[in-house]
Amino acid sequence: MESEIETLLSRNAVPIIDLGNCIEDVAKNLRKALSEKGYALLINHGISNEKIQTAWKYFDGFVELPAEVKLANERSKAPDAENHGYVSPGMERFDGRTPELRHAYNICKLQDTFLPEQQLPGFTSHINALVSDFNDLGRFLLQALAISVGAPPSFFTDKHSYMLSDDGFNLTTLRLLYYPPVEDQDHGSGIRCGAHADYCTFTLLAQDSEGGLEVKLRGSERWQRVGHLPGALFINCGETMAIWTDQLYHALQHRVVPDQDDTRHRGRHSIAYFCHPDNSALIDARELDITTKQTHNAYDIAMALAKGAYAHNYS
């Protein structure tokens, strides 16, 4: 059981940030947590657990659909899509070799024509409501993060104007994830989610009680299990924020490993909200009074890093 495994949470080593406090307190706590640890758990975030669980039920229904239906919804099948669509087990390989044993649906477009509404009636309206909640939370966190680095509250939100409107304008993604039970014969031939850092500004993660999330802390080569706090969201920063802040908020290395028999033979659900700047945004640390010689385009950062996970599909 997760509760019997030693975790960072069981050792009181996970910062827990109450978003019900004033934004200045949230900013102060985010700076301490993200600069020192690289992660935190967020409580009183305003997203209902019922909405999250309903999204998982919809995705369970999608996973059970015939293969040809899932294939029709595959990643980048939508017109002008960069990242939108279904990702089947094995399609992603963060190390370029080991198959990732999970189902995922990257949601970047919200119209019913781009979602499996016909097969899953009500899916579009539910996802749109959940996206609205995550975007509201995302904007609040962007304001708090701006305050945390001494910038005006609108500094980051001004560069994140099109979150989850269309991946042609902004790569922000709501990702539904289901990790099926790992059979004995699969042990060693795949992983639930390989070691990687995210590409975005920050990530929010909701996960069920199965857990399995492990992180590698700054300056350490040791993997440590995070642990599960019911109802909380996990936050970590990605490579874009690391560049923006000159590594003050570094991109956290993490993975999902079912290393216990009791979790290996059960499925796992999670939802990830990857918050990206607008594709046209320039990432310039000098705007935060950080000395640097380079300016980066937000889209170019994400695409360069994403190639590693998908390169085997195009070789």
Side-chain angles (χ1 to χ4, degrees):
M1 299 290 289
E2 177 83 14
S3 60
E4 298 171 354
I5 303 169
E6 183 181 272
T7 66
L8 290 166
L9 188 62
S10 70
R11 303 201 324 260
N12 295 317
V14 179
I16 299 174
I17 300 175
D18 188 344
L19 300 190
N21 294 333
C22 69
I23 194 169
E24 290 79 12
D25 283 348
V26 172
K28 178 182 68 176
N29 292 329
L30 282 172
R31 182 181 178 104
K32 180 174 176 60
L34 297 177
S35 63
E36 295 179 4
K37 303 282 190 179
Y39 61 88
L41 287 170
L42 308 178
I43 61 173
N44 292 324
H45 46 70
I47 298 178
S48 79
N49 195 47
E50 181 181 2
K51 278 188 180 179
I52 289 172
Q53 290 181 342
T54 298
W56 288 335
K57 289 178 182 177
Y58 271 118
F59 192 46
D60 285 345
F62 177 84
V63 169
E64 294 299 319
L65 292 172
E68 59 270 20
V69 176
K70 294 198 288 285
L71 183 63
N73 287 274
E74 197 170 42
R75 178 182 179 270
S76 298
K77 287 289 180 68
D80 302 317
E82 293 285 358
N83 193 43
H84 180 88
Y86 172 63
V87 180
S88 60
M91 182 176 288
E92 291 177 319
R93 304 181 186 189
F94 283 121
D95 65 1
R97 303 181 305 277
T98 310
E100 312 274 326
L101 303 178
R102 64 175 176 273
H103 299 267
Y105 203 114
N106 297 335
I107 296 172
C108 307
K109 300 176 184 292
L110 300 177
Q111 300 93 330
D112 58 7
T113 52
F114 299 120
L115 295 169
E117 177 65 24
Q118 182 177 353
Q119 295 82 10
L120 303 173
F123 180 70
T124 302
S125 61
H126 184 78
I127 288 301
N128 272 264
L130 188 58
V131 161
S132 179
D133 290 348
F134 269 104
N135 275 344
D136 286 346
L137 176 56
R139 283 186 281 268
F140 174 80
L141 290 169
L142 287 168
Q143 291 174 340
L145 287 165
I147 294 170
S148 79
V149 294
S154 62
F155 176 79
F156 288 125
T157 54
D158 287 347
K159 300 176 188 296
H160 294 72
S161 298
Y162 299 105
M163 297 184 301
L164 276 163
S165 60
D166 190 290
D167 51 354
F169 303 103
N170 182 299
L171 292 173
T172 296
T173 302
L174 187 74
R175 178 173 238 211
L176 308 180
L177 291 144
Y178 173 65
Y179 301 80
V182 178
E183 302 300 333
D184 291 336
Q185 62 268 28
D186 293 329
H187 183 45
S189 63
I191 191 171
R192 279 187 164 174
C193 184
H196 69 287
D198 297 331
Y199 321 143
C200 52
T201 306
F202 65 81
T203 301
L204 299 175
L205 180 73
Q207 58 177 337
D208 65 14
S209 60
E210 295 310 318
L213 177 66
E214 295 183 346
V215 299
K216 186 181 287 187
L217 304 184
R218 177 179 269 177
S220 172
E221 291 301 312
R222 178 187 172 199
W223 288 103
Q224 299 186 66
R225 182 72 64 97
V226 174
H228 178 65
L229 181 63
L233 295 177
F234 183 86
I235 184 172
N236 64 272
C237 290
E239 297 284 3
T240 298
M241 182 62 92
I243 292 170
W244 229 329
T245 62
D246 194 28
Q247 303 299 322
L248 172 66
Y249 299 152
H250 70 288
L252 182 73
Q253 285 283 322
H254 55 284
R255 66 183 187 181
V256 179
V257 181
D259 60 355
Q260 300 292 324
D261 288 341
D262 58 330
T263 59
R264 180 178 302 280
H265 298 294
R266 293 199 298 266
R268 175 184 185 268
H269 295 85
S270 64
I271 291 178
Y273 174 82
F274 299 105
C275 181
H276 282 265
D278 300 332
N279 294 351
S280 60
L282 295 179
I283 311 304
D284 188 350
R286 291 171 296 187
E287 294 180 318
L288 297 175
D289 295 327
I290 297 171
T291 301
T292 182
K293 295 181 180 180
Q294 289 186 305
T295 299
H296 303 265
N297 173 262
Y299 178 83
D300 291 343
I301 293 172
M303 288 298 101
L305 293 166
K307 284 181 180 178
Y310 289 99
H312 61 282
N313 289 311
Y314 308 107
S315 59

